[in-house]
Amino acid sequence: MGRLRGEVAITKMIIDALKPRELSIIELSKTLCSGRGVQSVEITVVEVDAKTETIKVTLRGNSIDYSEVAEIMSRNGAVIRSIDEVTVSRKGGEVLKVEE
Amino acid sequence: MDSDSIPLSYVLRRARYYISLLKAGEILRRYFIMNMFDGLLTSVGVVIGARISGALNPKVIVSTVLGASLAMGISGFAGAFMTERAERIREVKELERSLFTNLDNSVISEASRYVAFLAAIIDSLSPLLGSLIPSLPFFLSLMGLIGVPLAFLASLIIAGCLLLGLGFYLGKVCGESKLKYGAYMFLSGLAVAILVTLIGGAIKWGG
């Protein structure tokens, strides 16, 4: 990693999360979209349970701050189960993509 | 943000969000209608009872209604706060078990605390207003602005109008005839008036 110069930023993330059914995905997506470096948020309900819903959150942006995303999710009562996909990019054009 | 500088619009937006988050609108509406109804009927009972017993004195009515309103207000606040808080805590704990997480610092817990407090405020203010508003003419009578017979009539008319209004509101909520619900509410007030008159009369003649 020492040879890479410039800022490495997260530009896309796909998160698998569990949220209370009461929490609206409209409110959650709007709150997530107000986070630093986030430009668009897409939430899909994958599974519906009695009290909870499993959601897939896709975040896109120029420099997503994961700790802020985690904080927003936790504050809204949603639990991150896994990060299923991450795309990071470095200033200069080189793109590193990691998939689980 | 300093708590003094939080704008009212933000507080209202937050309140609306918390209520919609916990779907608490229904329970808050129920608390409001039931307790306002209690307050109105208490006021009708006190006023008619005083008239039948021959103690239609503004000072007596005002102090009786004030005492009853305060008692209803305080008991409403304490009762609703403790009940709602316990119910909301139970719901949050159930949710925590389903989510396998602690929700102490989440918006869900915040909304639960807020809704319990709001329910207590509504539960205390609605009977308070329900009994105080119809007795306003007696306050005016106490100040010497109107006569006692007019205060008696005005008090019953105000109570009747508020009962009709509550009924109309219920009709609007359920999407049925507003007039029908208004009539139900009004007839309940009338039933209280008749019962108090009969019981008061029986006691008076018996004594």
Side-chain angles (χ1 to χ4, degrees):
Chain A
M1 294 293 280
R3 63 192 175 83
L4 295 177
R5 283 188 189 164
E7 188 198 352
V8 175
I10 301 173
T11 53
K12 185 184 171 190
M13 284 187 97
I14 297 183
I15 294 169
D16 176 55
L18 194 65
K19 72 157 192 71
R21 284 194 69 180
E22 291 92 339
L23 179 69
S24 136
I25 54 172
I26 298 172
E27 285 299 327
L28 182 61
S29 54
K30 279 183 178 171
T31 317
L32 282 169
C33 207
S34 64
R36 256 194 315 274
V38 181
Q39 280 172 335
S40 82
V41 176
E42 203 180 295
I43 298 183
T44 313
V45 177
V46 179
E47 201 182 315
V48 179
D49 220 325
K51 290 187 181 300
T52 58
E53 280 174 352
T54 304
I55 51 171
K56 189 177 102 174
V57 185
T58 308
L59 300 145
R60 288 187 184 85
N62 44 25
S63 178
I64 299 166
D65 181 350
Y66 175 69
S67 57
E68 194 185 357
V69 170
E71 164 69 26
I72 290 173
M73 295 284 277
S74 144
R75 176 130 178 75
N76 281 278
V79 184
I80 296 178
R81 293 206 296 204
S82 62
I83 300 169
D84 293 347
E85 190 182 313
V86 172
T87 306
V88 295
S89 72
R90 186 168 64 90
K91 273 178 191 166
E94 192 182 343
V95 175
L96 304 169
K97 187 164 182 174
V98 185
E99 273 193 46
E100 273 187 12
Chain B
M1 206 190 300
D2 192 319
S3 65
D4 293 336
S5 66
I6 295 174
L8 186 66
S9 61
Y10 171 81
V11 175
L12 290 176
R13 212 169 46 240
R14 217 58 214 154
R16 214 172 298 142
Y17 175 58
Y18 286 157
I19 292 169
S20 77
L21 182 67
L22 298 184
K23 295 181 178 60
E26 189 188 316
I27 187 105
L28 295 179
R29 197 163 49 222
R30 204 175 303 157
Y31 274 140
F32 171 75
I33 294 173
M34 276 170 53
N35 293 296
M36 178 72 114
F37 186 63
D38 274 353
L40 283 170
L41 292 195
T42 304
S43 166
V44 169
V46 167
V47 170
I48 303 256
R51 169 87 172 80
I52 293 298
S53 64
L56 199 60
N57 180 334
K59 205 180 267 181
V60 174
I61 302 252
V62 164
S63 50
T64 309
V65 170
L66 260 180
S69 320
L70 277 176
M72 279 192 290
I74 294 168
S75 87
F77 185 88
F81 185 70
M82 286 189 285
T83 316
E84 272 302 305
R85 192 170 175 273
E87 279 296 326
R88 301 286 159 189
I89 288 176
R90 185 184 62 84
E91 279 173 18
V92 170
K93 283 194 173 151
E94 271 180 19
L95 199 55
E96 281 181 337
R97 275 197 290 275
S98 304
L99 287 165
F100 307 104
T101 191
N102 186 309
L103 292 171
D104 279 354
N105 296 317
S106 74
V107 75
I108 307 269
S109 293
E110 221 168 77
S112 296
R113 284 192 292 270
Y114 178 84
V115 164
F117 185 69
L118 194 62
I121 294 280
I122 288 175
D123 210 293
S124 91
L125 279 188
S126 50
L128 199 81
L129 291 177
S131 55
L132 279 183
I133 295 173
S135 55
L136 279 180
F138 286 100
F139 281 89
L140 296 180
S141 177
L142 196 64
M143 289 189 280
L145 294 173
I146 55 171
V148 176
L150 181 62
F152 173 73
L153 202 66
S155 169
L156 291 185
I157 291 173
I158 292 174
C161 289
L162 286 174
L163 282 169
L164 271 175
L166 265 188
F168 282 0
Y169 178 59
L170 265 187
K172 191 184 161 205
V173 166
C174 70
E176 283 191 17
S177 163
K178 290 179 189 171
L179 215 61
K180 188 173 88 180
Y181 278 87
Y184 284 159
M185 286 280 186
F186 188 79
L187 286 176
S188 315
L190 201 65
V192 168
I194 292 170
L195 265 177
V196 173
T197 307
L198 288 177
I199 294 169
I203 291 171
K204 204 173 171 185
W205 291 323

